[in-house]
Amino acid sequence: PLCLVLYESISMLLLFGIGAGMYVLEPTKRGLFRPLRALVALGGSGFADTVSARFASAEAKAELKLAWLSRRLNLSPVRLATAYAEGVIVRIAARPVLVPFKLFVTYKFLKRIGSIKWFNIFRK
């Protein structure tokens, strides 16, 4: 059970760290998603209007759903929702690196505290 607690703790630290990083950096406003905007523009004005309308709807829902959290933290609810969405994209893209990293850190920590006694079984 200790390895699961440690692995999930690392996951939560990464979740909050990436979310805070996205909140501070605001990659959407800094133009990191400009190629995506260009693709939306290629779809025609009707497609761009649909995307704009859905984004406005998502902003309104974010204000309703995250109002309680934004009042307590004194942060913008739209910016919180945007940072969360950007963080999800980054975590999904980085998953091939993050999962082995979390496993490695968990293994190293458990080995350091001496919790892995069965490890010597595999060495011959």
Side-chain angles (χ1 to χ4, degrees):
L2 177 61
C3 62
L4 292 176
V5 170
L6 184 60
Y7 182 85
E8 289 303 321
S9 298
I10 295 167
S11 297
M12 292 305 291
L13 284 171
L14 286 171
L15 171 75
F16 288 119
I18 290 172
M22 294 298 112
Y23 188 85
V24 170
L25 295 175
E26 295 183 275
T28 308
K29 287 189 178 180
R30 293 185 187 264
L32 295 177
F33 295 122
R34 280 192 184 132
L36 185 61
R37 254 189 239 155
L39 285 175
V40 169
L42 287 176
S45 63
F47 181 68
D49 292 340
T50 303
V51 170
S52 298
R54 289 198 180 182
F55 186 75
S57 171
E59 283 183 334
K61 287 181 184 177
E63 287 182 16
L64 289 174
K65 302 268 184 188
L66 296 174
W68 63 274
L69 182 63
S70 66
R71 279 194 306 271
R72 289 182 190 243
L73 298 176
N74 199 18
L75 301 171
S76 165
V78 173
R79 196 164 161 201
L80 277 173
T82 304
Y84 177 76
E86 292 166 348
V88 167
I89 292 169
V90 168
R91 284 191 330 249
I92 288 172
R95 189 174 288 157
V97 175
L98 287 179
V99 172
F101 170 75
K102 293 187 292 187
L103 288 170
F104 178 75
V105 170
T106 302
Y107 165 73
K108 283 295 195 182
F109 182 79
L110 291 175
K111 188 176 176 190
R112 181 169 296 244
I113 65 170
S115 181
I116 300 180
K117 295 181 174 69
W118 54 267
F119 180 71
N120 292 330
I121 297 170
F122 298 108
R123 290 190 177 175
K124 294 214 177 195

